[in-house]
């Protein structure tokens, strides 16, 4: 069966992989992304298309980039590392 929403399926697969590998940080981030998508689906009152999922993911990427800038300005290397890791994870999904 053809899956019309490949990104969402990929995120769900990544969630399972993170769970199996006990990567709690990645698991929490993937769950956050999926929750954002679900919130957008609730707002739309229906399932998101692939393009709408990409829009949701670009919003998350913007939040991460804003967080990186704020962490740099505030001298928070711990948060900077966290946001950069999240950015790498999301970038690998968006490829």
């Amino acid at each position: 069966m053809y899956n019309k929403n490949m990104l969402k399926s990929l995120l769900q697969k990544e969630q399972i992989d993170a769970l199996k590998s006990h990567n709690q940080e990645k698991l929490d981030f993937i769950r956050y992304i999926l929750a954002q998508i679900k919130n957008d689906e609730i707002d739309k009152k229906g399932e998101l298309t692939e393009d709408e999922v990409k829009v949701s993911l670009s919003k998350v990427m913007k939040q991460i980039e804003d967080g990186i800038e704020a962490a740099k300005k505030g001298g928070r290397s711990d948060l900077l590392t966290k946001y950069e890791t999240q950015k790498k994870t999301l970038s690998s999904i968006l490829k």
Side-chain angles (χ1 to χ4, degrees):
M1 183 174 148
Y2 176 70
N3 186 345
K4 69 177 183 174
N5 203 329
M6 296 297 290
L7 277 175
K8 191 172 174 185
S9 295
L10 178 62
L11 284 165
Q12 290 166 338
K13 181 189 173 302
E14 289 287 328
Q15 180 181 17
I16 291 168
D17 291 345
L19 188 62
K20 287 181 180 178
S21 67
H22 304 287
N23 186 342
Q24 191 63 44
E25 188 174 318
K26 183 175 180 180
L27 179 62
D28 291 342
F29 180 59
I30 298 294
R31 284 179 174 164
Y32 170 75
I33 293 171
L34 287 169
Q36 292 297 106
I37 292 169
K38 185 66 175 173
N39 287 339
D40 289 344
E41 287 177 339
I42 290 169
D43 290 343
K44 182 185 175 189
K45 296 183 171 98
E47 192 170 334
L48 297 181
T49 65
E50 189 78 8
D51 289 336
E52 291 168 331
V53 170
K54 287 179 184 178
V55 170
S56 290
L57 295 179
S58 67
K59 288 178 189 175
V60 172
M61 183 64 86
K62 177 70 173 131
Q63 291 171 350
I64 292 169
E65 290 169 352
D66 291 346
I68 288 172
E69 289 302 313
K72 284 180 182 176
K73 287 179 184 174
R76 297 284 310 267
S77 61
D78 56 328
L79 287 178
L80 185 60
T81 303
K82 175 184 170 185
Y83 287 132
E84 287 175 345
T85 302
Q86 289 177 349
K87 186 175 181 178
K88 286 178 190 174
T89 300
L90 188 53
S91 294
S92 70
I93 291 168
L94 289 172
K95 282 185 184 179

